[in-house]
């Protein structure tokens, strides 16, 4: 027998090489979000990739908040990110860190750079700094303060720390190369003055490190071996390595970049989502029409479905986009054998079976999931008056319409054959009641005389039905017109949310609680909303419809 060939992505190949060459003896990865908003589906890829690598190599996984910019950070975002990471199953155990825990170490590192002649205090304004920086085709010019003495730089930097300068008045710059073709190496700012209160350190500091300086220090201090990040940081890698080299870390971590995951026709930009929230277009960062991890969780997606989606997208250096329909495929595949198939009427009209005994109710044995017998069965009440979907009756049907119309016989799912005899209407001509007669010999949905019916419809017993709100979601943006208008605004879909207030459901659904989910026969998969449901009054969100436009690509042999 031939051995199975295991395909390794380029990151795994690099880690294998580092371990084989003894560069590292173990593996430690990290997920380093900035707590300035809610995480989205793209972050899920990074979380699962970094956590998956740590497990694969029996290593460690850190969750670290890059909280170096107090102007945008909130405790609310810290808490939401922790909830998201835990929900996805990325177990960081006791390895929760904050960049702000290393502020003292970062300050000491900056002092070390000054003493080595590798950093200096600048008086340039932000506008002047842009002017001196040069362009992609022109070299930068040296800062007038570039050759200050070590003693003067140390005194000025300490004065910055002591709050003696206003915001923007002084910065600390790394002294690298103003002629470098890489703009990130042209004496980047590594510290700025910001008189801001920090969510973790309070008012202890009035100077804060820049991300490109802080990040490699955080990685090194935590023993991270492989700093896995997205491609936009590829040009920042020389600075990452420079900081580690100049601060003389003995076993510096290594940065490896991969392509971001893009979803077509969705909104992930924090600026746009913030605007949607503030204008009340959505009801928060967890609105089920968004693709934040919190929104997907509230919508009813599962960690398993997100992991499958990420696995299908793969890991590469090439930028690419995934269709939202692929994510829908993943949640359908995850739920179809796990969830009971319940009957729910979203647009109800009453059906009266005129020859069924008045006042009598019977309980029918119904399989929870015909494809998975292990889910067992339940009792469903049946009586003379039922609710059916309004679209399942037509007085004058078109050709090939096999549901209820006068004179036609249909199967009531799990119950009996019923022949439609007519209907009642209100003064506006709207159907209010459908009438029919049943054949008591057809219990279970089969006729002893072998006659066939072409239509099968679902139903709910009227006397025991639960009235509930059901929400149907579409994309927040108009997919045909694209995400953005010419002026940069969002091209919103006016039909992104449809609220159905008086749906009729099986009585078993009355006590459902979040995050329980079900398949509603013919309608799709639905979950109990975690935000607006109340005890005994669940609100249901449609996770996904039953039909899919996505076809899983065949694997090459």
């Amino acid at each position: 027998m031939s051995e199975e060939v295991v395909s390794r992505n380029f990151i795994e190949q690099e880690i294998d090489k580092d371990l084989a060459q003894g560069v590292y003896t173990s593996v430690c990865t990290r997920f380093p979000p900035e707590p300035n908003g809610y995480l989205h589906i793209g972050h899920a890829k990074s979380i699962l990739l970094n956590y998956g690598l740590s497990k694969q190599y029996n290593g460690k996984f850190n969750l670290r908040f890059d909280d170096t910019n107090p102007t945008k950070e909130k405790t609310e975002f810290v808490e939401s990110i922790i909830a998201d990471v835990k929900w996805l199953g990325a177990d960081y155990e006791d390895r929760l860190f904050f960049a702000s825990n290393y502020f003292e170490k970062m300050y000491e590192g900056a002092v070390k750079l000054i003493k080595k002649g590798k950093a200096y205090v600048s008086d340039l304004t932000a506008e002047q700094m842009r002017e001196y920086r040069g362009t992609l085709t022109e070299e930068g010019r040296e800062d007038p303060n570039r050759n200050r003495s070590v003693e003067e730089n140390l005194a000025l930097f300490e004065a910055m720390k002591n709050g003696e300068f206003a915001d923007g008045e002084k910065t600390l710059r790394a002294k690298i190369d103003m002629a470098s073709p890489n703009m990130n190496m042209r004496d980047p700012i590594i510290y700025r003055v910001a008189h801001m209160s920090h969510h973790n350190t309070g008012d202890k500091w009035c100077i804060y490190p820049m991300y490109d300086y802080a990040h490699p220090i955080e990685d090194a201090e935590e023993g991270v071996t492989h700093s896995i990040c997205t491609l936009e940081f590829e040009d920042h890698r020389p600075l990452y390595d420079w900081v580690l080299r100049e601060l003389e870390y003995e076993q510096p971590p290594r940065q490896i970049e991969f392509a971001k995951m893009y979803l077509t026709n969705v909104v992930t930009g924090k600026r746009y989502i913030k605007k949607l929230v503030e204008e009340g277009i959505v009801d928060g960062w967890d609105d089920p029409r968004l693709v934040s991890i919190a929104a997907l969780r509230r919508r009813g997606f599962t960690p398993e479905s997100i992991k499958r989606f990420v696995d299908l997208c793969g890991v590469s250096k090439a930028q690419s986009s995934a269709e939202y329909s692929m994510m829908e495929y993943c949640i359908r595949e995850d739920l179809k054998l796990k969830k009971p198939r319940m009957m729910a009427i979203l647009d109800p009209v009453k059906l009266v079976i005129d020859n069924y005994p008045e006042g009598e109710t019977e309980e029918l044995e119904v399989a929870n999931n015909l494809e998975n017998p292990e889910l067992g069965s339940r009792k469903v009440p049946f009586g003379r008056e039922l609710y059916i979907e309004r679209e399942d009756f037509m007085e004058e049907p078109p050709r090939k319409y096999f549901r209820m119309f006068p004179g036609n016989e249909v199967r009531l799912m799990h119950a009996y054959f019923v022949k439609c005899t007519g209907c009642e209407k209100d003064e506006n001509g709207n159907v209010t009641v459908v009438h029919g007669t049943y054949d008591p010999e057809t219990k279970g949905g089969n006729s002893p005389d072998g006659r066939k019916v072409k239509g099968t419809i679902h139903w709910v017993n009227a006397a025991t039905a639960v009235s509930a709100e059901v929400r149907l979601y579409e994309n927040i943006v108009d997919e045909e017109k694209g995400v953005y208008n010419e002026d940069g605004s969002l091209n919103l879909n006016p039909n992104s949310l449809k609220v159905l207030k008086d749906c009729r459901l099986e009585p078993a659904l009355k006590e459902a609680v979040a995050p329980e989910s079900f398949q509603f026969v013919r309608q799709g998969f639905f979950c109990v909303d975690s935000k607006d449901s109340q005890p005994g009054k669940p609100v249901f969100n449609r996770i996904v419809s039953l039909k899919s436009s996505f076809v899983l690509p065949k694997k090459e042999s």
Side-chain angles (χ1 to χ4, degrees), residues 260-484:
K260 271 186 176 180
M261 180 169 69
Y262 291 97
L263 262 184
T264 56
N265 292 318
V266 300
V267 182
T268 55
K270 290 175 183 175
R271 177 166 62 93
Y272 288 105
I273 295 175
K274 188 169 182 283
K275 185 176 173 65
L276 291 173
V277 172
E278 290 175 348
E279 293 182 1
I281 296 169
V282 297
D283 73 351
W285 288 80
D286 62 349
D287 187 290
R289 289 167 288 181
L290 302 175
V291 290
S292 66
I293 297 175
L296 291 170
R297 182 165 67 246
R298 184 179 169 196
R299 176 80 173 257
F301 279 79
T302 61
E304 294 82 2
S305 68
I306 301 299
K307 185 177 187 305
R308 181 166 189 172
F309 174 66
V310 167
D311 288 344
L312 285 176
C313 290
V315 179
S316 73
K317 279 273 191 182
Q319 298 284 19
S320 61
S321 295
E323 297 289 334
Y324 187 82
S325 59
M326 186 163 85
M327 198 158 71
E328 292 181 320
Y329 163 83
C330 292
I331 186 63
R332 285 191 195 95
E333 288 296 298
D334 185 51
L335 297 181
K336 68 180 182 181
L337 297 180
K338 293 180 179 178
K339 300 301 174 180
R341 297 174 182 178
M342 314 292 283
M343 293 190 286
I345 307 300
L346 305 191
D347 185 14
V349 66
K350 186 167 283 189
L351 167 65
V352 176
I353 304 174
D354 293 308
N355 65 332
Y356 192 89
E358 287 195 47
E360 186 173 309
T361 300
E362 60 181 303
E363 288 193 327
L364 305 176
E365 191 79 22
V366 174
N368 283 325
N369 189 321
L370 290 172
E371 293 183 67
N372 184 3
E374 291 184 6
L375 290 185
S377 62
R378 67 188 185 281
K379 300 284 189 181
V380 177
F382 181 89
R384 185 172 187 266
E385 296 189 359
L386 311 171
Y387 287 108
I388 63 171
E389 290 288 351
R390 189 169 293 276
E391 66 175 19
D392 285 344
F393 170 80
M394 293 186 75
E395 201 171 12
E396 297 178 2
R399 287 182 68 246
K400 296 187 178 181
Y401 181 87
F402 301 121
R403 284 168 269 176
M404 296 200 84
F405 56 87
N408 191 48
E409 190 171 46
V410 300
R411 176 187 291 105
L412 294 183
M413 190 175 286
H414 312 299
Y416 299 94
F417 286 9
V418 171
K419 179 180 282 189
C420 180
T421 57
C423 66
E424 299 175 28
K425 299 179 183 178
D426 62 19
E427 63 273 14
N428 297 316
N430 300 312
V431 175
T432 55
V433 181
V434 178
H435 286 273
T437 56
Y438 87 120
D439 180 351
E441 299 299 317
T442 58
K443 187 172 183 177
N446 295 301
S447 171
D449 62 12
R451 73 182 187 275
K452 304 292 183 183
V453 294
K454 291 185 177 179
T456 299
I457 65 173
H458 64 294
W459 50 272
V460 170
N461 184 48
T464 55
V466 174
S467 177
E469 179 179 313
V470 174
R471 298 167 179 175
L472 307 181
Y473 293 100
E474 292 181 9
N475 200 330
I476 190 78
V477 296
D478 191 322
E479 295 183 33
E480 292 185 4
K481 296 179 181 177
V483 178
Y484 304 109

Side-chain angles (χ1 to χ4, degrees), residues 31-49:
F31 174 62
E34 183 182 355
N36 63 355
Y38 281 61
L39 302 182
H40 57 67
I41 184 65
H43 295 111
K45 178 175 181 177
S46 182
I47 294 167
L48 293 170
L49 173 59

Side-chain angles (χ1 to χ4, degrees), residues 201-216:
T201 59
D203 297 322
K204 180 178 178 181
W205 296 90
C206 62
I207 55 170
Y208 290 98
M210 302 299 287
Y211 177 87
D212 279 346
Y213 169 72
H215 193 78

